[in-house]
Amino acid sequence: MEREREESREKRKNATGVETQIRKNKNLAQKWLMQAQVSPQAWQFCWALLSPDKVPEIQYFGASALHTKISRYWSDIPTDQYESLKTQLFSQIACFSSGSKMVLTRLCVALASLALNTMPEAWPGAVAEMVRVFQEEGGGVDGRARCLALLELLTVLPEEFQTSRLPQYRKGQVRGALGREWGSVCPLLQQLLRRADSPGAVKARVLRCLSSWVLLDVPLSESEGLVHDCFSALPDPELFDTAVEAIVNAISQPDSQRYVNTLLKLVPQVLALQDQLREAVQSGDMETCHGICRIAVTLGENHSRTLLEQVEHWQGFLALVNMIMFCTGIPGHYPVNETTSSLTLTFWYTLQDEIMSFELDRQTVYLQVYRPVYFQLVDVLLHKAQFPSDQEYASWSSDEKEQFRIYRVDISDTLMYVYEMLGAELLSNLYDKLGRLLTNTEQPTSWQHTEALLYGFQSIAETIDVNYSDVIPGLIGLIPRININNVQLADTVMFTIGALAEWLADHPVMLSSVLPLVLQALGNPDLSVSSVSTLKKICRECKYDLPPYATNIVAVSQEVLIKQIHKTSQCMWLMQALGFLLSALPVEDILRNLHSLITPYIQQLEKLADETPNPSNKLAIIHILGLLSNLFTTLDISKQDDESGEGSAPPVKTTPPPPGPNPVVVVLQQVFALIQTVLSKWLNDSQVVEAVCAIFEKSVKTLLHDFAPMVSQLSEMLGQMYSTIPQASALDLTRQMVHIFASETDHFPPIKALFELVTSVTLSIFQQGPRDHPDIVDSFMQLQAQALKRKPDLFLSESLDVKAVFHCGVLSLKFPEAPTVKSTCLFFTELLPHCSDVPPVARVVQEDGKLLVQAVLEGIGGGASRSLMDQFAEVLFCLNKHCFALLSVWLKEALQPPGFPSSRVTAEQKDTFSQQILRERVNKRRVKDIVKEFTLVCRGLHGTEYAAEY
């Protein structure tokens, strides 16, 4: 007896200590409790903290600790204690059924976890026992509280199963056991939901419980009666939300499509909600509209095919489709007056996909019924896409306007998809409506209606080839008749013209109808994005038909640029547009236009170059350099096969350029000295240097070999720039020059000299400490890789310290920046194949290859991000392919030290990894898998949930 009293005192003392800790510092207490959970005294703490004299926060910690102990350390609990633990938990839940809700829930979760760990073997019929225990009288707890506690327990049981850490084989067993227990749960829920005297709180908890259980894939046929009861609960405002959730969860389960008869019974129940829906619309009850719409859409979206296949019930499903149509067209403007219509859009995709997936005969029958429905849908969507009145729109917040913009994009995507079903007839339909609207002089039309119809055209023309359509000429003819008195309408007119740019290229005679509108809009800052992007599209697609309009386009563009109407990004687009435009003109016309276009900027740049550097003139310099870059990006007087890339060879021009120097080169040579002057003052500023390099890089990419006259002087300037203050942008431009010109005999000497100079300067950066310059290291490694790919002879030079470059690569593999490591791996995968044909490379690999292997293994062992394992695998694959004999020695030596590359791998695992790598000399994919497997072992993640995601 005395010993029991001593134990009791000790328990209280421990609990008091815990309580003091919690009150002192909750964060510290949380940490302390997490440690206490694994200690032998944990059970005493848990029960003591649940004592009635503790505050709810303390009790909550106790219940949480219990749950953690049961869910995560189940194996620590002796089998003979299962029963007493279960009894104690039942007792505590009964005590707290009238107490703190948060503590009750946590205790229920703890008992649920115990049930999942013991069913079905150690605790068969667990749910039936739970129901029986809580239905028994006693304990001084009133029936309503016991009922709510039982429902809470039954609700959290499936939820705990969904998040439990049970092994996969146990999950299957337990899911089956829970499925069998539904027979004990269902009658209880039905009884409580159907009793007239059940309190609202009990019914709400029943509906929550049903929601939880149906997620276990309870057969829809077995929950049919309860789902019907949920529909009966919908008129009760207190139960509405939980009833909706339960219905939606029940009918959206993947397995539910098997129960065709049950689904057919649900259709009239959903249709019967239409009166409640209309009343909610009239009274402005958005929540009720939203809920009923969710039910209708869930049934339609999840079971379209099943319901379409029940041909004898076609009228019921058509009625459901029309109900969803009502939800799509629900009165009011999204998102201010309603938020329901957006829920329906994916349903229309699903229904269309199902109809079009049937064989042709059945598809034809369905299309007879549903094509008119989809034409109606187009009308509804265009009505919903209409802007509100100017006054109302002005009162919207910026967030509401942005939501409306996204909503219109969703409508646009839906219209584009619907076009696949309705075809050319849809365009004709839209054209007829627009024609009637614009030619009807008796009835004034709102700009919103016109804008919405144009938006429909734009949505389709942006992504669908409309070149065959016979209504586009009529549409182009109608556009000038539109009374553009509003920014939104003007924007849509512009975007519609832009969407038709490819059509205009095939029908250039129509350019005269629309080009004046675009040029007029250029002068309006409110139409900046739409007008400039439309002009750019027209100049790109129609450039060979634009020479008659070129003078006017250049003049208007110059005017808006000088007036600074547009923001920086639109100015850059406008320069790109002018580049496309000028490309199609004779060379003398290009030079004349270039002169008038850029002379003001050159003069401004000369003035800025004389000024003392400050933040204001820096922005002006970068702006002017950006304008020149964007102009030269698109000014290309000869056609080429494809965009310039960094593949094995530069793109090839398909038509020779006109004789004489390229206009871009002429301009660059004229401004070269000025650019050098700007650089001399701004060499310390990476943004200005980047802007200068961008001019030449974009010119090189566009002109390719036509840039040849500039190679020598640009190489010299780049070398001087980089020698003075190294910048990554200079290396990137050097890489581009190597890519295009390194293989040309005439240009090899300046390219070789530049390559050797920037390499030497960068090596000195490595000697001083490269960690502060990851961008330079990244660009340097990309340059070296490009040189090896395009002109390996560069590595034969005595002036190039190949050994030092190799060591820099090894060092770069250990950088924390993933892009730098990727570029370095690329360098090594380009270097290693040249062991056979470039003697300096062969020598350094033979002498120092082990360092490379060690660095790669270090990264795989945990020193680098897991996202880089494919790149490390490629380096190992290259080593195995080109240095097999050496690699086998290096791997053995590198993996010999204990604890390398990780303390978590055994010697046997390292040996297996080594053998696997050496075996794979052909299958690169297999090497990547081997490396991924090994890195997981090294990191202690093998077999974990993280590994499953990898």
Side-chain angles (χ1 to χ4, degrees):
M1 227 10 222
E2 185 59 39
R3 204 185 77 185
E4 284 176 12
R5 276 199 293 273
E6 185 61 37
E7 284 178 358
S8 179
R9 276 197 299 274
E10 187 64 28
K11 193 185 292 186
R12 283 198 301 274
K13 183 179 167 187
N14 284 334
T16 306
V18 173
E19 187 179 353
T20 307
Q21 283 283 94
I22 290 170
R23 283 185 170 152
K24 270 186 173 180
N25 187 321
K26 283 191 178 178
N27 290 334
L28 192 64
Q30 183 74 44
K31 187 178 177 183
W32 191 87
L33 271 172
M34 292 298 289
Q35 294 167 348
Q37 283 161 4
V38 296
S39 71
Q41 294 82 21
W43 296 111
Q44 295 174 9
F45 294 147
C46 295
W47 301 117
L49 290 172
L50 287 166
S51 172
D53 60 340
K54 306 293 184 228
V55 295
E57 288 84 358
I58 306 293
Q59 294 168 334
Y60 179 82
F61 276 125
S64 291
L66 260 177
H67 170 244
T68 303
K69 190 75 176 170
I70 294 169
S71 61
R72 296 188 186 179
Y73 306 103
W74 178 251
S75 56
D76 295 349
I77 304 170
T79 313
D80 58 1
Q81 288 186 20
Y82 291 175
E83 199 61 34
S84 64
L85 179 57
K86 181 181 24 168
T87 306
Q88 280 179 291
L89 279 168
F90 271 128
S91 171
Q92 288 289 348
I93 290 171
C95 291
F96 278 94
S97 59
S98 302
S100 167
K101 170 73 171 61
M102 65 176 183
V103 180
L104 173 65
T105 301
R106 216 72 205 126
L107 288 168
C108 288
V109 172
L111 182 55
S113 186
L114 185 145
L116 296 175
N117 279 296
T118 51
M119 64 186 354
E121 298 89 355
W123 192 4
V127 174
E129 185 178 339
M130 290 174 187
V131 173
R132 190 182 67 254
V133 167
F134 281 94
Q135 283 180 332
E136 290 172 356
E137 297 286 340
V141 181
D142 71 88
R144 180 172 175 274
R146 281 204 318 278
C147 179
L148 287 170
L150 172 60
L151 288 171
E152 183 66 20
L153 177 58
L154 294 177
T155 302
V156 300
L157 182 60
E159 292 170 354
E160 179 69 3
F161 171 75
Q162 305 287 3
T163 58
S164 66
R165 301 183 178 195
L166 295 171
Q168 206 55 46
Y169 79 96
R170 277 283 295 149
K171 275 221 166 190
Q173 289 177 346
V174 175
R175 180 183 282 276
L178 285 170
R180 292 188 291 276
E181 297 279 13
W182 174 244
S184 301
V185 178
C186 185
L188 172 70
L189 300 185
Q190 279 185 317
Q191 179 192 352
L192 291 170
L193 210 49
R194 292 174 183 177
R195 275 176 57 171
D197 60 344
S198 283
V202 170
K203 288 186 176 182
R205 200 67 64 84
V206 168
L207 293 170
R208 263 192 61 218
C209 188
L210 173 61
S211 267
S212 182
W213 276 84
V214 294
L215 294 174
L216 291 173
D217 296 331
V218 169
L220 187 59
S221 56
E222 293 180 20
S223 62
E224 182 184 331
L226 271 168
V227 173
H228 178 76
D229 294 336
C230 290
F231 277 94
S232 304
L234 287 171
D236 186 336
E238 290 184 10
L239 301 178
F240 181 81
D241 288 340
T242 43
V244 167
E245 205 60 42
I247 294 167
V248 166
N249 284 348
I251 59 182
S252 57
Q253 289 310 299
D255 197 45
S256 57
Q257 61 193 20
R258 293 189 344 194
Y259 305 99
V260 179
N261 290 332
T262 305
L263 291 171
L264 288 171
K265 289 179 197 172
L266 285 172
V267 173
Q269 287 184 285
V270 174
L271 294 175
L273 299 173
Q274 289 180 96
D275 288 342
Q276 188 180 355
L277 175 61
R278 288 195 177 89
E279 286 172 17
V281 169
Q282 286 169 2
S283 63
D285 182 354
M286 286 169 68
E287 284 74 19
T288 300
C289 294
H290 205 80
I292 293 175
C293 175
R294 274 187 72 199
I295 293 170
V297 167
T298 303
L299 181 60
E301 203 171 302
N302 286 280
H303 305 294
S304 284
R305 188 172 192 88
T306 305
L307 294 171
L308 278 167
E309 286 173 338
Q310 313 313 308
V311 182
E312 63 278 16
H313 298 277
W314 69 273
Q315 287 169 309
F317 183 58
L318 181 59
L320 178 66
V321 170
N322 284 323
M323 181 179 175
I324 296 172
M325 180 78 77
F326 175 80
C327 294
T328 304
I330 206 156
H333 287 289
Y334 181 96
V336 177
N337 314 114
E338 63 90 8
T339 55
T340 298
S341 57
S342 62
L343 298 177
T344 66
L345 297 180
T346 50
F347 164 75
W348 299 109
Y349 285 79
T350 306
L351 178 60
Q352 179 176 322
D353 285 344
E354 298 299 359
I355 290 170
M356 303 308 282
S357 69
F358 284 112
E359 60 275 12
L360 197 57
D361 292 350
R362 292 182 73 182
Q363 190 185 113
T364 306
V365 174
Y366 286 122
L367 285 174
Q368 285 177 342
V369 176
Y370 287 100
R371 267 177 70 86
V373 172
Y374 272 84
F375 274 112
Q376 183 191 348
L377 173 66
V378 171
D379 291 341
V380 168
L381 289 175
L382 291 178
H383 180 73
K384 293 296 293 181
Q386 285 186 25
F387 280 88
S389 69
D390 294 339
Q391 188 179 357
E392 188 182 343
Y393 190 65
S395 71
W396 285 12
S397 68
S398 57
D399 186 48
E400 287 166 341
K401 288 177 180 176
E402 176 60 12
Q403 284 185 56
F404 182 59
R405 185 193 67 77
I406 294 167
Y407 175 68
R408 277 172 50 100
V409 170
D410 292 340
I411 286 177
S412 174
D413 292 343
T414 310
L415 289 170
M416 181 192 72
Y417 204 76
V418 166
Y419 179 84
E420 299 292 332
M421 178 193 275
L422 302 182
E425 195 181 338
L426 172 54
L427 288 176
S428 302
N429 187 293
L430 291 174
Y431 173 67
D432 291 343
K433 284 188 170 69
L434 187 63
R436 283 197 298 273
L437 204 63
L438 295 175
T439 55
N440 184 353
T441 53
E442 295 173 13
Q443 263 189 322
T445 58
S446 69
W447 69 262
Q448 287 91 340
H449 198 170
T450 306
E451 190 277 336
L453 285 168
L454 272 179
Y455 187 68
F457 266 113
Q458 177 205 326
S459 302
I460 294 161
E462 265 181 338
T463 47
I464 306 289
D465 180 9
V466 293
N467 279 5
Y468 64 86
S469 172
D470 55 1
V471 304
I472 303 299
L475 171 64
I476 297 284
L478 283 175
I479 285 176
R481 301 185 61 162
I482 297 171
N483 177 24
I484 303 176
N485 56 3
N486 176 278
V487 170
Q488 283 85 17
L489 175 58
D491 254 339
T492 303
V493 168
M494 285 300 109
F495 284 128
T496 304
I497 295 170
L500 295 171
E502 285 186 42
W503 184 91
L504 287 166
D506 292 335
H507 306 82
V509 70
M510 303 300 285
L511 278 167
S512 58
S513 300
V514 293
L515 205 49
L517 288 174
V518 179
L519 294 178
Q520 185 183 350
L522 272 184
N524 186 342
D526 292 332
L527 303 178
S528 183
V529 173
S530 59
S531 61
V532 175
S533 66
T534 296
L535 181 64
K536 182 181 167 183
K537 284 180 181 176
I538 290 174
C539 289
R540 185 181 64 216
E541 302 298 336
C542 313
K543 63 182 176 183
Y544 297 110
D545 302 299
L546 289 178
Y549 310 98
T551 305
N552 197 18
I553 294 172
V554 173
V556 173
S557 300
Q558 269 187 287
E559 186 182 349
V560 299
L561 285 166
I562 289 165
K563 288 182 178 176
Q564 298 183 340
I565 285 172
H566 302 292
K567 292 181 180 175
T568 299
S569 54
Q570 277 72 56
C571 291
M572 302 306 159
W573 293 356
L574 189 50
M575 278 301 203
Q576 288 180 23
L578 293 171
F580 285 125
L581 173 72
L582 297 180
S583 300
L585 300 180
V587 172
E588 58 273 17
D589 289 352
I590 296 174
L591 286 168
R592 190 181 69 255
N593 279 293
L594 277 176
H595 180 73
S596 67
L597 186 62
I598 67 176
T599 296
Y601 294 110
I602 300 305
Q603 291 169 348
Q604 195 182 345
L605 195 59
E606 286 172 341
K607 187 181 169 193
L608 291 165
D610 289 336
E611 294 177 7
T612 306
N614 65 64
S616 172
N617 56 27
K618 170 185 165 177
L619 289 176
I621 288 170
I622 289 174
H623 181 74
I624 292 169
L625 295 174
L627 292 174
L628 294 175
S629 290
N630 281 277
L631 177 64
F632 298 156
T633 299
T634 54
L635 208 172
D636 186 7
I637 59 174
S638 60
K639 297 175 187 175
Q640 60 188 66
D641 278 337
D642 51 43
E643 293 292 317
S644 174
E646 296 211 357
S648 56
V652 179
K653 303 277 185 178
T654 55
T655 59
N662 189 291
V664 172
V665 173
V666 172
V667 173
L668 283 175
Q669 285 175 329
Q670 288 171 355
V671 300
F672 197 81
L674 175 58
I675 289 174
Q676 283 182 305
T677 306
V678 171
L679 264 180
S680 66
K681 286 198 174 181
W682 289 92
L683 206 49
N684 280 310
D685 193 293
S686 62
Q687 289 175 301
V688 175
V689 172
E690 206 170 302
V692 168
C693 290
I695 291 179
F696 293 105
E697 190 172 357
K698 288 177 179 178
S699 301
V700 170
K701 281 183 177 178
T702 306
L703 302 181
L704 303 177
H705 297 284
D706 294 352
F707 189 83
M710 297 285 299
V711 170
S712 184
Q713 61 190 131
L714 180 58
S715 296
E716 189 179 343
M717 187 184 88
L718 266 177
Q720 290 170 354
M721 274 170 56
Y722 196 74
S723 300
T724 312
I725 296 179
Q727 309 252 13
S729 51
L731 289 173
D732 295 334
L733 178 52
T734 303
R735 184 178 80 244
Q736 196 65 39
M737 300 270 282
V738 167
H739 175 58
I740 306 291
F741 296 108
S743 298
E744 296 192 6
T745 310
D746 292 348
H747 301 299
F748 183 67
I751 293 292
K752 177 174 179 285
L754 174 62
F755 177 73
E756 289 174 359
L757 177 60
V758 298
T759 300
S760 172
V761 172
T762 311
L763 292 178
S764 66
I765 292 175
F766 270 89
Q767 286 171 354
Q768 294 157 18
R771 272 302 303 119
D772 296 335
H773 308 284
D775 56 334
I776 289 178
V777 174
D778 188 352
S779 296
F780 178 66
M781 286 300 148
Q782 289 186 50
L783 169 61
Q784 298 297 319
Q786 185 66 258
L788 285 159
K789 183 186 290 187
R790 296 288 295 129
K791 193 69 174 173
D793 289 3
L794 288 166
F795 279 69
L796 292 169
S797 169
E798 290 181 5
S799 307
L800 191 79
D801 190 342
V802 178
K803 191 180 183 77
V805 172
F806 183 90
H807 281 267
C808 289
V810 172
L811 191 62
S812 304
L813 283 176
K814 300 174 185 180
F815 270 48
E817 292 83 7
T820 303
V821 179
K822 279 185 180 179
S823 300
T824 308
C825 288
L826 174 66
F827 160 65
F828 281 116
T829 56
E830 292 293 344
L831 179 94
L832 293 167
H834 290 294
C835 285
S836 56
D837 59 359
V838 181
V841 170
R843 273 196 303 276
V844 72
V845 171
Q846 194 162 5
E847 291 168 12
D848 297 325
K850 182 181 170 184
L851 296 174
L852 172 60
V853 172
Q854 285 173 326
V856 169
L857 290 173
E858 193 177 316
I860 294 169
S865 163
R866 275 162 53 202
S867 65
L868 293 165
M869 292 309 112
D870 279 356
Q871 283 74 28
F872 284 130
E874 291 195 9
V875 176
L876 284 177
F877 183 75
C878 271
L879 281 163
N880 201 24
K881 197 171 179 181
H882 302 285
C883 321
F884 174 74
L886 290 166
L887 179 63
S888 58
V889 175
W890 292 333
L891 276 176
K892 186 176 180 181
E893 291 176 359
L895 290 170
Q896 202 165 15
F900 183 85
S902 164
S903 56
R904 293 186 179 91
V905 284
T906 62
E908 187 182 354
Q909 287 170 321
K910 290 194 278 189
D911 190 47
T912 303
F913 168 71
S914 181
Q915 288 173 17
Q916 287 176 323
I917 290 292
L918 292 169
R919 247 196 318 267
E920 296 296 340
R921 301 183 67 184
V922 178
N923 190 341
K924 191 189 291 185
R925 180 73 261 161
R926 175 69 188 128
V927 174
K928 289 180 178 180
D929 290 341
I930 293 164
V931 168
K932 283 182 180 177
E933 189 84 5
F934 188 62
T935 197
L936 290 172
V937 175
C938 288
R939 295 164 198 260
L941 297 174
H942 196 263
T944 66
E945 56 193 292
Y946 297 104
E949 295 165 10
Y950 189 32

